[in-house]
């Protein structure tokens, strides 16, 4: 489905004035054909290509194959002992004004709004072309586009807006909904969150026809298998998982619990087994993925950034840190199977994440093809739903053990007999164990408005370390208010 759309959809939008300077550039989404925008939406296949283009634009080291996961956001969460000091020395100190930090922050802003522009192009065109579509594709493509717009705005909000805990009425970011040169207004944290919620509710309603929800079996005979492999799309249950994240951010804990439970009770997602992890069949917990990006260059990323031979770009933990992460529970599947030892000199004492490694081909493929386990970067997983539910239960009745222990047992740990003395500290540590390299730990600290982050003595609140400044080019051109 991924073809070359030799057209810069983004520059036609746009809220971020900084992106208007790139209107002569082209959006490259896995080349095969060149399709002008006025031709693109004259067929159902054109809409499919445009949607593929949104996902392709997210497969960028500036966002969802590096910086929004284990790179910038991982560094800010103090997840690593070793990383490229050239690239991240300032970011590690929460210095957002250095040349390198400004570039990384600006790239997150511009690349994310570029993807939003592509989603908007679909949303703005699809209703007038409804007659082009088959049975379910209209609702599903439109639903995914709304979901993608919400997903991308939410991560921008988590980067460039303060937390609800701090001030929900603080100016944050623009919410882009059209293809226009008009500058969209900067909205408050609450106003942006409300718009994200609205888009997700729209997506949820449209995706009621999603095969992952209805249970309808799809084969390659059906529309060339277009609705197969729903986990690499923002499907119905990925929307529910994203709603759970959003409602936690908005302090709507009852709603968050209901959304997390909807995912859990669906029985669509299962825990990866210790045997599959031990044999290297499944490094990234594929059965647990609500939503993952299909990244054909994943093995190259793993070799570059998690090389057991180490290099200047590698991310790793020393063995003592890893043991501390996992509370000396060396039977924990994550400790045992999701890290590899260094191979050279001093680096034998360092441990390298294997989540993005190419898995071995599973012997029994009676249920899932090899592609089910290959080339996938998880963006939302089942374990997070249990962590969300645990926190909601704790806030409601003073005990989060029920959900927390189900996650622990799935990871080969004993159930805790009693709630920990400091529940939120334990919650943070479990996020760190479960979601390392997946870009969620730093945002947890921010949502809870913690004064400190494990691994640094920085005054996170006093230094305004939780919120990126809006890029200067954007504030100068559009006169944005202070977002910090």
């Amino acid at each position: 489905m991924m073809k070359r759309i030799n057209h810069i959809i983004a520059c036609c939008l746009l809220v971020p004035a900084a992106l208007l300077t790139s209107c002569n550039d082209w959006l490259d989404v896995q080349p095969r054909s060149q399709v002008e925008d006025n031709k693109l939406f004259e067929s159902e296949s054109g809409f499919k290509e445009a949607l593929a283009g949104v996902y392709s634009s997210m497969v960028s080291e500036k966002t969802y194959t590096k910086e929004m996961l284990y790179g910038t956001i991982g560094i800010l969460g103090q997840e690593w002992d070793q990383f490229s000091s050239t690239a991240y020395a300032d970011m590690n100190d929460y210095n957002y004004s250095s040349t390198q930090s400004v570039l990384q922050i600006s790239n997150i802003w511009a690349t994310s709004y570029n993807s939003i522009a592509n989603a908007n192009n679909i949303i703005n065109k699809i209703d007038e072309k409804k007659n082009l579509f088959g049975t379910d594709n209209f609702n599903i493509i439109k639903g995914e586009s709304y979901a993608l717009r919400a997903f991308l705005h939410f991560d921008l909000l988590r980067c460039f807006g303060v937390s609800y805990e701090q001030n929900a009425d603080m100016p944050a970011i623009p919410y882009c909904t059209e293809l226009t040169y008009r500058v969209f207004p900067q909205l408050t944290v609450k106003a942006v969150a409300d718009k994200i919620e609205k888009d997700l509710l729209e997506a949820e309603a449209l995706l009621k026809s999603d095969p992952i929800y209805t249970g309808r079996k799809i084969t390659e005979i059906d529309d060339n298998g277009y609705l197969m492999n729903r986990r690499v799309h923002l499907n119905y249950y990925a929307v529910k998982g994203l709603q759970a994240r959003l409602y936690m951010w908005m302090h709507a804990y009852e709603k968050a619990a209901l959304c997390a439970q909807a995912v859990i009770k669906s029985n669509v997602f299962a825990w990866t087994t210790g045997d599959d992890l031990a044999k290297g069949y499944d490094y990234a917990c594929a059965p647990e993925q609500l939503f993952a990006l299909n990244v054909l260059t994943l093995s190259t990323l793993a070799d570059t950034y998690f090389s057991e031979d180490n290099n200047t770009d590698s991310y790793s933990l020393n063995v003592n840190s890893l043991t501390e992460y996992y509370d000396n529970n060396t039977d924990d599947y994550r400790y045992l199977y999701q890290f590899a030892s260094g191979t050279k000199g001093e680096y034998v004492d360092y441990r390298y994440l294997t989540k993005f490694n190419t898995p071995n081909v599973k012997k029994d493929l009676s249920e899932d093809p090899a592609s089910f386990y290959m080339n996938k970067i998880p963006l939302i997983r089942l374990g997070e739903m249990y962590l969300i539910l645990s926190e909601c239960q704790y806030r409601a009745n003073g005990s989060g053990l029920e959900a927390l222990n189900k996650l622990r047992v799935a990871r080969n740990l004993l159930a805790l007999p009693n709630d920990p003395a400091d529940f939120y500290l334990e919650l943070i540590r479990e996020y760190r164990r479960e979601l390392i390299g997946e870009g969620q730990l730093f945002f947890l600290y921010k949502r809870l408005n913690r004064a400190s982050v494990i691994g640094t003595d920085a005054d996170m609140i006093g230094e305004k370390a939780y919120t990126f400044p809006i890029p200067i080019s954007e504030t100068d051109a559009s006169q944005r208010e202070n977002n910090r």
Side-chain angles (χ1 to χ4, degrees), residues 329-367:
N329 291 315
T330 55
D331 290 332
D332 189 317
Y333 288 151
R334 298 164 297 190
Y335 175 91
L336 281 171
Y337 305 128
Q338 290 193 322
F339 294 88
S341 299
T343 59
K344 292 182 178 179
E346 63 183 293
Y347 300 114
V348 297
D349 290 329
Y350 284 83
R351 301 294 178 264
Y352 299 84
L353 192 67
T354 60
K355 281 184 182 180
F356 308 127
N357 286 12
T358 301
N360 301 322
V361 177
K362 193 172 182 180
K363 300 295 190 294
D364 180 8
L365 297 176
S366 58
E367 293 187 8

Side-chain angles (χ1 to χ4, degrees), residues 384-395:
E384 184 184 353
M385 298 300 103
Y386 279 91
L387 290 168
I388 286 172
L389 185 57
S390 175
E391 183 181 347
C392 292
Q393 290 173 341
Y394 180 81
R395 289 179 181 275

Side-chain angles (χ1 to χ4, degrees), residues 160-401:
F160 295 94
V162 302
S163 67
Y164 255 60
E165 193 75 25
Q166 183 176 341
N167 184 358
D169 294 321
M170 188 78 174
I173 62 171
Y175 201 90
C176 307
T177 57
E178 298 176 16
L179 284 153
T180 176
Y181 284 107
R182 177 173 65 88
V183 175
F184 278 75
Q186 183 182 15
L187 303 180
T188 65
V189 170
K190 183 181 186 303
V192 174
D194 288 345
K195 286 185 174 293
I196 295 167
E197 179 187 22
K198 182 180 178 181
D199 273 356
L200 288 176
L201 289 172
E202 180 74 18
E204 178 187 3
L206 288 163
L207 290 170
K208 287 286 179 70
S209 57
D210 193 333
I212 203 171
Y213 176 68
T214 65
R216 182 163 66 93
K217 298 297 182 184
I218 304 293
T219 69
E220 291 185 2
I221 298 174
D222 305 299
D223 191 16
N224 296 314
Y226 179 68
L227 295 181
M228 297 172 67
N229 306 318
R230 293 298 299 154
R231 296 177 195 233
V232 293
H233 289 252
L234 249 169
N235 59 73
Y236 176 86
Y237 288 113
V239 167
K240 299 305 293 182
L242 186 54
Q243 286 175 329
R245 274 186 190 171
L246 174 68
Y247 287 133
M248 294 303 289
W249 184 262
M250 297 174 72
H251 294 183
Y253 301 116
E254 290 184 8
K255 289 182 177 180
L258 289 173
C259 291
Q261 286 172 327
V263 173
I264 292 167
K265 292 180 179 179
S266 72
N267 295 319
V268 171
F269 309 94
W271 299 112
T272 196
T273 67
D275 186 60
D276 279 359
L277 286 167
K279 293 177 179 177
Y281 295 154
D282 183 16
Y283 290 116
C285 302
E288 304 173 18
Q289 294 172 0
L290 280 64
F291 172 45
L293 279 183
N294 184 34
V295 182
L296 299 181
T297 59
L298 190 56
S299 62
T300 301
L301 290 172
D303 290 343
T304 302
Y305 298 116
F306 299 98
S307 169
E308 295 155 35
D309 293 337
N310 199 279
N311 59 55
T312 56
D313 293 322
S314 286
Y315 300 79
S316 64
L317 290 165
N318 68 52
V319 66
N320 293 329
S321 293
L322 186 66
T323 304
E324 184 273 329
Y325 265 39
Y326 289 92
D327 286 338
N328 297 304
N329 291 315
T330 55
D331 290 332
D332 189 317
Y333 288 151
R334 298 164 297 190
Y335 175 91
L336 281 171
Y337 305 128
Q338 290 193 322
F339 294 88
S341 299
T343 59
K344 292 182 178 179
E346 63 183 293
Y347 300 114
V348 297
D349 290 329
Y350 284 83
R351 301 294 178 264
Y352 299 84
L353 192 67
T354 60
K355 281 184 182 180
F356 308 127
N357 286 12
T358 301
N360 301 322
V361 177
K362 193 172 182 180
K363 300 295 190 294
D364 180 8
L365 297 176
S366 58
E367 293 187 8
D368 299 309
S371 60
F372 182 74
Y373 302 93
M374 306 282 284
N375 300 322
K376 293 164 73 178
I377 286 185
L379 297 185
I380 311 176
R381 282 199 299 111
L382 181 64
E384 184 184 353
M385 298 300 103
Y386 279 91
L387 290 168
I388 286 172
L389 185 57
S390 175
E391 183 181 347
C392 292
Q393 290 173 341
Y394 180 81
R395 289 179 181 275
N397 57 42
S399 176
L401 280 185

Side-chain angles (χ1 to χ4, degrees), residues 329 405 408-409 411-417:
N329 291 315
N405 278 336
R408 287 177 59 86
V409 170
R411 301 306 183 219
N412 201 38
L413 296 173
L414 295 175
L416 294 173

